[in-house]
Amino acid sequence: MTAKNIEAAKEAFGRLLEEQLARVEEMKAQGGFLDYQALDQIVIGVCGGDGIGPAITNEAERILMYLLKDEIASGKVLIKTINGLTIENRVAESAAIPKAVLEELKTCHVILKGPTTTPRKGDPWPNVESANVAMRKALDLFANVRPVCIPEQGIDWTFYRENTEGAYAVGSKGVSVTEDLGVDFTVVTKQGSERIIRAAFEFAKANHKTRVTAVTKANIIKTTDGMFLDTFREIAKEYPDITADDWYIDIMTAKLVDEKRRKDFQVMVLPNLYGDIITDEAAEFQGGVGTAGSANIGKRYAMFEAIHGSAPRMVKEGRAQYADPSSMIRAAAMLLNHIGYVKEADQLNRALAVCQGPDAALKVTGREGGATGADFADYIMKTIKEM
């Protein structure tokens, strides 16, 4: 029995290697980044997801329509709603993203996506892959960009998390060899490492940053993290005006809470799993994951989302309308900036700072007695109008 199990595991591993080598060839053949301003029309897809996703995404969509009303009227921008990315539909098709939804997503240039449910062990849903992970792979959104800026604390961080490799690349394709042995895999490629690391350095160069830091565990995970770190050191030589250093993930999590040292960090580039963990930690400094948005950038597509989950309990308790839409609104600001509407993005970010500040006229608490998401979106738009 064990010999058969080992052979089956070998076959599964072989298929995985073939898939990843094919992906390497696809990366080698890629062209440059899409120029949005050269397009006759920019198509923005709005995909609510499930749980509280539709409620908070709707408020961000309202704000986008308010800020881009002239562009929408002229036809330069088209906003289209994409329904169906729900856990029920995904389970019914046994797919991370239903086929029709994925086809619709591919007709867009940029996507504003609400949270989606990822089943965990013990949940009533079967083991379908994360829709986020699947979308990043299907649209090749290799750079997850998460900014955290708190001037009064001296914090101005930008995280470049590799989005399509690492421990998440084949997270649903681990092998249960026997009832006593399970094996998962982590994947790193030279091409995948190069493009995320170069993107981090290019961002630093364009935004007058002076330091880029690689975060790995290359002293222990020697092959994959070692390749990522070696690639970082090679690329760093091309940017002599930028200080390049590296830290291990465990000590980096400590240094971010060190009030003296954390001010030194500027741009950080990390493999997938480490980036997921440390950006949630970083988001706590600006009010928690409920307030943070993130960008997922590829050469052809880009997707913007909240970094928190779908909060099904809020829906079950009838509180979805009280969910804080700040994360999706912040993601909408990142989307605007990405497609070239810098002025509108700045207006939205400044309005968020006012509406989340100590003198804000209302507060979203997630419960009755606090403002609804619609109230907060109205407050944002009123603040923009009065600027």
Side-chain angles (χ1 to χ4, degrees), residues 200-310:
F201 274 100
E202 284 295 316
F203 171 84
K205 181 180 177 181
N207 290 275
H208 310 292
K209 306 294 183 181
T210 58
R211 182 177 181 181
V212 177
T213 303
V215 183
T216 71
K217 193 63 178 171
N219 58 330
I220 303 298
I221 314 298
K222 296 182 184 295
T223 300
T224 49
D225 280 21
M227 177 183 288
F228 190 92
L229 184 55
D230 287 345
T231 305
F232 174 82
R233 288 170 175 163
E234 289 173 16
I235 291 175
K237 296 174 184 175
E238 301 176 26
Y239 300 86
D241 296 331
I242 297 173
T243 298
D245 63 343
D246 68 278
W247 290 69
Y248 297 135
I249 180 61
D250 44 359
I251 192 64
M252 176 57 76
T253 60
K255 291 306 173 188
L256 290 192
V257 297
D258 182 334
E259 292 185 6
K260 293 181 180 178
R261 298 301 301 276
R262 70 189 184 197
K263 299 175 184 178
D264 297 336
F265 298 106
Q266 296 180 3
V267 181
M268 285 159 271
V269 60
L270 317 87
N272 206 332
L273 174 61
Y274 309 144
D276 191 9
I277 294 168
I278 208 166
T279 51
D280 280 6
E281 178 194 19
E284 285 298 309
F285 289 96
Q286 66 178 18
V289 296
T291 68
S294 72
N296 301 266
I297 309 298
K299 292 187 174 180
R300 167 63 179 81
Y301 300 99
M303 180 265 283
F304 301 82
E305 61 179 344
I307 72 169
H308 59 74
S310 59

Side-chain angles (χ1 to χ4, degrees), residues 330 333 342-357 380 383-384 386-387:
R330 202 172 294 278
V342 177
K343 177 175 68 75
E344 290 80 0
D346 181 63
Q347 286 179 304
L348 183 48
N349 281 321
R350 287 190 290 119
L352 271 167
V354 171
C355 297
Q356 292 178 324
I380 289 278
T383 302
I384 292 171
E386 293 174 351
M387 281 178 174

